[in-house]
Amino acid sequence: PLKGSKSADAIKALRAAHLVPDVHEITSGAAADTVTASDPPAGQQVAEGSKVRINVSKGPTPVAVPNVVGKSINDATATLNSSGFKVNPTYVDSDSPQNQVIDQSPGQNQTAPPHSTIDVTVSNGPQSVDVPDVRTLDVGTAASQLQSAGFRVKFSYTTVTDPNQDQIVLDQNPESGQQAKPGSTVTLVVGKCPSSGCPAATTTDTTTTTTTTTP
């Protein structure tokens, strides 16, 4: 029987029987390049040289591919799965947030067969960079340097008694020299005098007394 065979096999069989294949491609749920029917049907007697129509499947009707660029890989996978597609992710370094889909193929406004695979490119996030050393700097300067390097800044205050440590960065996390991704948070431990104020710096006056002895 011709039905269910590959188009090349069906054509070969018809020519071997001295018949002329008349191929028509149709959209169908059968796999692509599969014969779905013939006219006259298999088993019917026909004269040599007769033309036999065979319908060959182009595969299922293509489905519109939803746009998932900008979604997280989890949301993108759920969206594509619900439309009948499989997902093949590839991860790359990028300035986009981690796990965000930055490209897809086929793309928006294109179609693909149901159950086919959509390739998506997913961001690993920006490459890590060295965290600058901002210890001993005043809090404003330290925050400015970190923000210029692409980091977020969080402050943690600790009470100090030395007025020279007031509003000065005493420690940081991550430490200087460690790697972190731009957009991540660096926590600064900042000295702060109590509400009553730090004690004033103590100065010692030295008085020299000269005694004059009268002979």
Side-chain angles (χ1 to χ4, degrees), residues 4 25 37 41 62 66 77 87 100 108 114 133 141-142 147 150 168 188 190 195:
E25 288 190 326
T77 299
V87 181
Q100 184 181 82
Q108 185 181 14
D133 187 359
T141 301
Q147 289 166 352
I168 298 298
L188 302 181
V190 181
S195 57

Side-chain angles (χ1 to χ4, degrees), residues 154-197:
K154 181 180 179 181
F155 304 103
S156 175
Y157 290 90
T158 184
T159 301
V160 295
T161 57
D162 184 350
N164 293 319
Q165 292 182 329
D166 187 39
Q167 301 302 312
I168 298 298
V169 176
L170 306 178
D171 201 0
Q172 64 182 82
N173 184 30
E175 296 179 357
S176 62
Q178 290 188 354
Q179 294 274 309
K181 290 189 176 184
S184 60
T185 299
V186 178
T187 300
L188 302 181
V189 178
V190 181
K192 184 178 182 181
C193 286
S195 57
S196 58

Side-chain angles (χ1 to χ4, degrees), residues 89-100:
T90 299
Y91 289 83
V92 299
D93 290 332
S94 130
D95 290 335
S96 298
Q98 188 176 17
N99 291 322
Q100 184 181 82

Side-chain angles (χ1 to χ4, degrees), residues 20-43:
V20 178
D22 180 21
V23 179
H24 291 260
E25 288 190 326
I26 63 169
T27 299
S28 120
D33 197 40
T34 300
V35 176
T36 61
S38 64
D39 183 26

Side-chain angles (χ1 to χ4, degrees), residues 9-192:
D9 294 337
I11 291 170
K12 183 178 180 180
L14 288 171
R15 287 175 176 169
H18 306 291
L19 301 172
V20 178
D22 180 21
V23 179
H24 291 260
E25 288 190 326
I26 63 169
T27 299
S28 120
D33 197 40
T34 300
V35 176
T36 61
S38 64
D39 183 26
Q44 183 171 324
Q45 296 290 323
V46 294
E48 288 189 4
S50 297
K51 183 181 292 187
V52 177
R53 169 174 173 148
I54 56 173
N55 293 339
V56 178
S57 174
K58 293 189 294 184
T61 302
V63 176
V65 179
N67 179 35
V68 294
V69 172
K71 292 179 177 287
S72 69
I73 181 58
N74 289 340
D75 290 345
T77 299
T79 298
L80 291 169
N81 287 166
S82 67
S83 296
F85 297 109
K86 300 175 184 178
V87 181
N88 177 39
T90 299
Y91 289 83
V92 299
D93 290 332
S94 130
D95 290 335
S96 298
Q98 188 176 17
N99 291 322
Q100 184 181 82
V101 175
I102 58 177
D103 197 12
Q104 68 180 86
S105 179
Q108 185 181 14
N109 299 324
Q110 296 184 7
T111 59
H115 312 299
S116 60
T117 298
I118 308 301
D119 295 319
V120 296
T121 304
V122 186
S123 174
N124 275 328
Q127 291 184 329
S128 297
V129 297
D130 287 336
V131 178
D133 187 359
V134 296
R135 289 172 298 182
T136 74
L137 299 179
D138 68 86
V139 64
T141 301
S144 179
Q145 286 192 12
L146 289 169
Q147 289 166 352
S148 296
F151 297 104
R152 298 179 181 178
V153 183
K154 181 180 179 181
F155 304 103
S156 175
Y157 290 90
T158 184
T159 301
V160 295
T161 57
D162 184 350
N164 293 319
Q165 292 182 329
D166 187 39
Q167 301 302 312
I168 298 298
V169 176
L170 306 178
D171 201 0
Q172 64 182 82
N173 184 30
E175 296 179 357
S176 62
Q178 290 188 354
Q179 294 274 309
K181 290 189 176 184
S184 60
T185 299
V186 178
T187 300
L188 302 181
V189 178
V190 181
K192 184 178 182 181

